[in-house]
Amino acid sequence: MRQTAKIGLLGLGLALALAGCDESAKNAVRVNQPAPTPPPALRDESLPLLLLQPLSHLTPEIKPRIDVLIENVRASYAAGQRDYQAGKPDLARKDFDHAVNLILESGYPVDSDSRLAKLFDEMVETIHKDELEATREEAEQDSSGEPAPIEEIADMNLPATPLPALAAKAAQEILTVPHDLPLTVNEYVLSYLNFFQTPKGRIIVGHGLERAGRYSEMIRRVLKKEGIPQDLIYLAQAESSFQPRAVSRVGARGIWQFMPYRGQEYDLHRSFWVDERSDPEKATRAAAKHLRDLYEMFGDWYLAMAAYDSGPMNVARAIERTGYADFWELYKRNTLPKETKNYVPIILALALVSKQPALYGIRVEPEKPAPYEVVKPAHPIDLRLVADATDSDSETLKQLNPALLRMTTPNSPDFELRVPAGTAERFLAETALIPPEKWTSWRRHQVSEGETLAALARQYGVTPAAIAQVNDFDPHDEIALGMRLTIPTKPPATAKLVRYRVERGDTLPGIADRFNVTVEELKRWNHIRGARVARGTRLRIFPGGMVAGSSHSATPKSAGSPQGKVQAASIQAAPRGEVQQHRVKRGETLFSIARGYRTTVAALKKANPFLAERPLEAGDLLTIFPVR
């Protein structure tokens, strides 16, 4: 879904209401006024001279309805521009949506008034420009992952030449295979169907069909639940070849290629550690809802797919310009972006070849879904320790958890980690042997034949005495084959530096939560004095906070701004066994408070049930139980 123009779905439904409604608009504004009731007869001589004068100057001026409409649309549009310039994209989108809805609900076609048409075109150009800028910024923030295969195919210039034999084969297939999406065979579809029979095309289709085995059952289940055609699974095949980590040139990610904004709209969350656009099931639910919304907007699956690719505004504008709410007419009239024109034919061709691959000379063995169990670590944990605890490997864990962007899980009690089927119980038992605060550095190791304590110490960069002490045996004892040992490896001396560019709508508390740091740390690392940071600023961030003794941590926690001194001084470990209370200050987060009291976010939430109902606020009084 490589959208170059994005806007809220509600407003963009204007495409369906802008064409062919001249007569309805005229009817919508025609008002039948009742005949005026004549005033009671009065004798002229009984009236003062003043009242005998015309009363027209006392009658308020009534503006034509179209003028009122244009004024209201212009006001909402101007509000959206102000919000956008102020760095409030969500409010701006609501204003733009409202402006478009005013046109929709008025009953006037856009071209019924030259002023309305000019205003509409101006709105489209502005929104398009702003969203292109947002797309470029999002792409800068999101450059990791595998390339999305759709881009290579959609950029190809394939001749739309008659292929009678292939057309006959495809037409016969349509008659014999079940399908719940309209399948069209024309010269545009045939050009891609022909390409998928070439060596290069067969490789693309084959790889997609192999990977489809991992996800097809889940995808079809979700599509069915959302009440949309099962054949839309081929849209995902076209977008990514079912690669959860696929990333497009403009930053769309995952099996369904969601842009960051669109993913946010459908509850796909992002942080430094996780990007849910790469979670196959969550992204499939989001894509199903989005496609259903687009279909409700345009009433046609081809137009919905085109809008999924380039954004509803592009399709709405093409319909408004031509008067045709038909994809093939828009294709012929060249009113859609090139890649969007090719997008629908590619999906239809993929649907035909994927339903009967052998008919087109393609033979594949679909992969099987990887069975898994879900655990909730509730603390950050390194995937290497998870691999040790489950007797698997990091690569397997990354495949099971494609939404994870790092080797460490986020510091969230709600994060669900997938582990190989049958290993959840073992994971819990193994990790229980290590303090949670050591889960990002310590390891577990099963002794192999010929290994010695000294060799293990060299392998992990620790001393034999340290291993012996943690595992409660004498360092001079021999270790036995099959023993499972805890290895107390040291954390890195310095935290990894990340450069983050501030996006529209970012706040210091929001950025701090995203990277599991405190607001004061952000300010200290970047010499920020105020409570805000300008859009476009590049911040220095050490995700998870600085490690004690780091060479980057030149300023102690208690130094910095006066606010930093107060905050650091107010968070001190209590004598063992005492219950404490803490008054939340501006800029503090649950993570920063938990760190200050040497407890966990989960423990804070358990001790303060109101945190389950609303976010933390300045002034809240927290109960903090003693650390055991």
Side-chain angles (χ1 to χ4, degrees), residues 164-179 183 185 190 193 352 356 359-360:
L166 186 59
K169 182 192 295 186
Q172 181 62 34
E173 180 188 2
I174 290 176
L175 296 175
T176 57
V177 298
H179 55 278
L183 295 181
V185 177
L190 288 173
L193 194 58
L352 288 168
Q356 287 192 322
L359 186 64
Y360 299 93

Side-chain angles (χ1 to χ4, degrees), residues 54-238:
L55 302 180
S56 58
H57 67 286
L58 300 178
T59 304
E61 180 183 358
I62 300 177
K63 291 184 179 180
R65 187 167 173 241
I66 186 68
D67 291 354
V68 176
L69 171 64
I70 291 172
E71 286 181 7
N72 291 339
V73 171
R74 188 172 284 128
S76 187
Y77 171 49
Q81 289 179 301
R82 288 194 299 272
D83 286 335
Y84 185 85
Q85 292 300 324
K88 301 175 182 177
D90 293 336
L91 288 177
R93 290 186 181 103
K94 290 180 181 178
D95 293 328
F96 291 146
D97 281 351
H98 180 61
V100 174
N101 276 338
L102 289 173
I103 300 175
L104 261 179
E105 296 168 1
S106 72
Y108 284 101
V110 168
D111 57 2
S112 64
D113 185 284
S114 60
R115 297 169 298 167
L116 189 62
K118 181 180 179 181
L119 180 58
F120 174 76
D121 285 340
E122 183 183 345
M123 287 170 55
V124 170
E125 292 296 337
T126 300
I127 295 168
H128 180 67
K129 180 181 68 176
D130 291 345
E131 293 300 344
L132 273 179
E133 181 183 346
T135 295
R136 285 193 294 269
E137 291 180 2
E138 288 160 347
E140 288 181 17
Q141 300 290 341
D142 198 357
S143 58
S144 64
E146 305 166 1
I150 183 65
E151 293 184 322
E152 181 184 0
I153 307 173
D155 285 343
M156 291 179 175
N157 288 312
L158 300 180
T161 55
L163 298 164
L166 186 59
K169 182 192 295 186
Q172 181 62 34
E173 180 188 2
I174 290 176
L175 296 175
T176 57
V177 298
H179 55 278
D180 55 3
L181 190 69
L183 295 181
T184 300
V185 177
N186 57 26
E187 55 186 328
Y188 313 115
V189 176
L190 288 173
S191 64
Y192 285 101
L193 194 58
N194 187 52
F195 166 72
F196 290 137
Q197 293 184 104
T198 66
K200 185 175 182 179
R202 286 177 179 174
I203 290 173
I204 293 174
V205 174
H207 286 173
L209 290 177
E210 287 173 359
R211 279 190 292 267
R214 302 184 196 176
Y215 308 110
S216 59
E217 182 180 343
M218 176 272 294
I219 292 175
R220 292 186 183 281
R221 167 173 50 81
V222 173
L223 296 181
K224 182 178 180 180
K225 183 178 179 180
E226 294 298 330
I228 64 175
Q230 297 275 293
D231 286 348
L232 286 172
I233 189 174
Y234 302 114
L235 186 150
Q237 184 175 351

Side-chain angles (χ1 to χ4, degrees), residues 13-22 103-104 108-111 120 316 319-320:
L14 63 91
L16 301 180
L18 297 181
C21 55
D22 290 348
I103 300 175
L104 261 179
Y108 284 101
V110 168
D111 57 2
F120 174 76
I319 293 172
E320 188 273 328

Side-chain angles (χ1 to χ4, degrees), residues 223-440:
L223 296 181
K224 182 178 180 180
K225 183 178 179 180
E226 294 298 330
I228 64 175
Q230 297 275 293
D231 286 348
L232 286 172
I233 189 174
Y234 302 114
L235 186 150
Q237 184 175 351
E239 287 280 9
S240 66
S241 285
F242 301 104
Q243 297 178 112
R245 296 180 182 271
V247 178
S248 75
R249 288 189 293 261
V250 295
R253 177 181 281 271
I255 285 178
W256 295 91
Q257 288 292 280
F258 272 98
M259 290 297 294
Y261 159 68
R262 190 66 74 200
Q264 243 178 353
E265 185 179 325
Y266 287 92
D267 298 323
L268 297 178
H269 304 295
R270 292 188 302 150
S271 72
F272 181 73
W273 281 267
V274 173
D275 191 330
E276 291 183 345
R277 294 177 296 161
S278 290
D279 184 294
E281 185 155 355
K282 289 181 179 179
T284 299
R285 285 199 297 268
K289 289 179 170 65
H290 183 38
L291 284 163
R292 187 184 60 202
D293 290 343
L294 292 171
Y295 180 76
E296 290 175 358
M297 181 185 303
F298 294 105
D300 179 274
W301 283 116
Y302 291 176
L303 293 176
M305 289 189 286
Y308 187 94
D309 177 67
S310 66
M313 179 59 79
N314 273 332
V315 177
R317 190 178 184 189
I319 293 172
E320 188 273 328
R321 283 182 169 179
T322 64
Y324 285 96
D326 178 85
F327 173 79
W328 300 114
E329 283 293 335
L330 300 181
Y331 188 108
K332 295 173 186 175
R333 293 167 187 271
N334 205 31
T335 55
L336 294 172
K338 176 186 173 183
E339 63 181 24
T340 305
K341 285 179 57 179
N342 295 338
Y343 186 76
V344 173
I346 288 172
I347 294 171
L348 297 178
L350 272 175
L352 288 168
V353 73
S354 298
K355 285 178 177 292
Q356 287 192 322
L359 186 64
Y360 299 93
I362 300 174
R363 300 185 183 279
V364 295
E365 186 66 34
E367 299 175 6
K368 295 181 179 179
Y372 63 85
E373 294 177 302
V374 173
V375 295
K376 285 188 176 183
H379 296 275
I381 186 168
D382 193 293
L383 289 186
R384 284 163 290 208
L385 176 57
V386 179
D388 296 341
T390 58
D391 198 22
S392 58
D393 56 82
S394 299
E395 191 56 39
T396 297
L397 293 169
K398 283 196 250 182
Q399 289 181 6
L400 287 175
N401 300 275
L404 266 179
L405 301 178
R406 315 288 162 194
M407 284 296 290
T408 303
T409 65
N411 185 24
S412 168
D414 298 322
F415 176 74
E416 294 184 344
L417 178 69
R418 294 171 180 172
V419 296
T423 66
E425 188 174 343
R426 180 176 176 179
F427 167 83
L428 296 174
E430 288 282 308
T431 55
L433 300 173
I434 299 177
E437 63 270 18
K438 303 295 185 182
W439 284 0
T440 56

